[in-house]
Amino acid sequence: MNDIKPYKTDDSKREQVVAMFNSIAPTYDRLNHTLSLGIDRCWRRKAVDALKPYKPQSILDIATGTGDFAMLAAERLQPQSIIGVDISEGMMDVARRKVADAGLDSMITFQQEDCTKLTYADCMFDAVTVSYGARNFTDLQAGLREMCRVLKPGGHMMLVELTTPRRFPMKQLFWVYANVVMRTIGRIISHDDSAYTYLPESMAAFPQAEQLAPMMRDCGFSTVDFKRFTFGLSTMYLATK
């Protein structure tokens, strides 16, 4: 899946992903909620709530984007601190404004980081989360290993990602939606033709649950459970170090 890039140029996937998200940052939240018909909010709540029994106090939110998941985690988990990291400063600029407006800037901070080469110490966080950003990793296994490395023993990694339905008729209906409706709406709102062509392509290339769960175990997690949402449109993974 590392071959899937937003733009058809010779630049690296990392460079192209940064350019894409900087480009669509101002319209990203509106597009997300429009394209998912608002269901993404429900998926995020369920993913955050999966961590409630463990009461994490220090959380690292990978591929934090515009900070929606970090803000939801702050509200529902009440940790001591959340660090949101991303490779796109454009996205985090939006996140910083939202967090400041919500009065959460004493709890949530943002730093530019490459998830495959995190600068944090081993065993530093109670929980690591990634919400709809894993398919953009330049090296998924390297990202998973880094998330495991910075987790404390007994800590939890929660990953939630868009996935493609496998059964009739949702599989066929989703193909039409992703390849016609999603691309058209995305192009109109974001004015970036490639960004919402890349989205369904990256979803199709991302490992499905039966492939991703053993990959997580190979990267150092002892247990991995997964749960599909809304006919397989989104899948949540909860892993323990």
Side-chain angles (χ1 to χ4, degrees), residues 14-208:
R14 185 186 190 280
E15 292 171 319
Q16 293 188 36
V17 167
V18 170
M20 178 188 72
F21 281 115
N22 285 342
S23 169
I24 66 175
T27 59
Y28 182 79
D29 286 339
R30 181 157 60 102
L31 268 167
N32 260 7
H33 302 323
T34 299
L35 292 173
S36 73
L37 306 178
I39 301 172
D40 62 307
R41 292 186 175 97
C42 177
W43 295 337
R44 286 187 174 92
R45 282 196 301 272
K46 289 180 178 180
V48 167
D49 288 351
L51 291 171
K52 274 187 174 180
Y54 311 110
K55 299 180 173 60
Q57 293 303 299
S58 57
I59 299 174
L60 178 66
D61 186 39
I62 301 281
T64 194
T66 60
D68 271 5
F69 196 82
M71 293 174 67
L72 189 63
E75 173 193 338
R76 299 180 76 83
L77 300 177
Q78 295 292 307
Q80 292 179 359
S81 66
I82 299 175
I83 300 177
V85 300
D86 206 288
I87 57 174
S88 168
E89 281 289 354
M91 295 286 275
M92 288 191 293
D93 284 343
V94 175
R96 291 183 182 104
R97 290 194 293 271
K98 288 164 59 176
V99 164
D101 289 344
L104 293 171
D105 43 353
S106 62
M107 182 188 296
I108 306 173
T109 58
F110 297 97
Q111 297 176 359
Q112 187 177 45
E113 289 273 342
D114 184 334
C115 69
T116 65
K117 301 173 184 177
L118 295 171
T119 61
Y120 304 111
D122 295 355
C123 308
M124 185 171 172
F125 298 97
D126 296 322
V128 177
T129 62
V130 54
S131 169
Y132 305 109
R135 68 184 181 280
N136 301 313
F137 290 5
T138 55
D139 186 331
L140 178 58
Q141 288 177 299
L144 292 171
R145 285 193 294 268
E146 278 293 271
M147 287 189 278
C148 188
R149 179 183 67 80
V150 300
L151 263 181
K152 295 176 182 177
H156 295 84
M157 189 271 285
M158 194 292 305
L159 185 155
V160 61
E161 188 53 85
L162 296 170
T163 43
T164 54
R166 296 301 193 189
R167 296 182 180 179
F168 177 86
M170 284 301 298
K171 178 179 179 180
Q172 288 72 19
L173 290 171
F174 177 76
W175 188 95
V176 173
Y177 182 76
N179 289 279
V180 179
V181 179
M182 187 181 292
R183 292 182 182 188
T184 302
I185 295 174
R187 182 171 61 250
I188 292 170
I189 295 179
S190 72
H191 305 294
D192 189 318
D193 290 350
S194 298
Y196 289 87
T197 299
Y198 165 75
L199 176 57
E201 290 177 350
S202 64
M203 287 175 62
F206 193 76
Q208 299 295 302

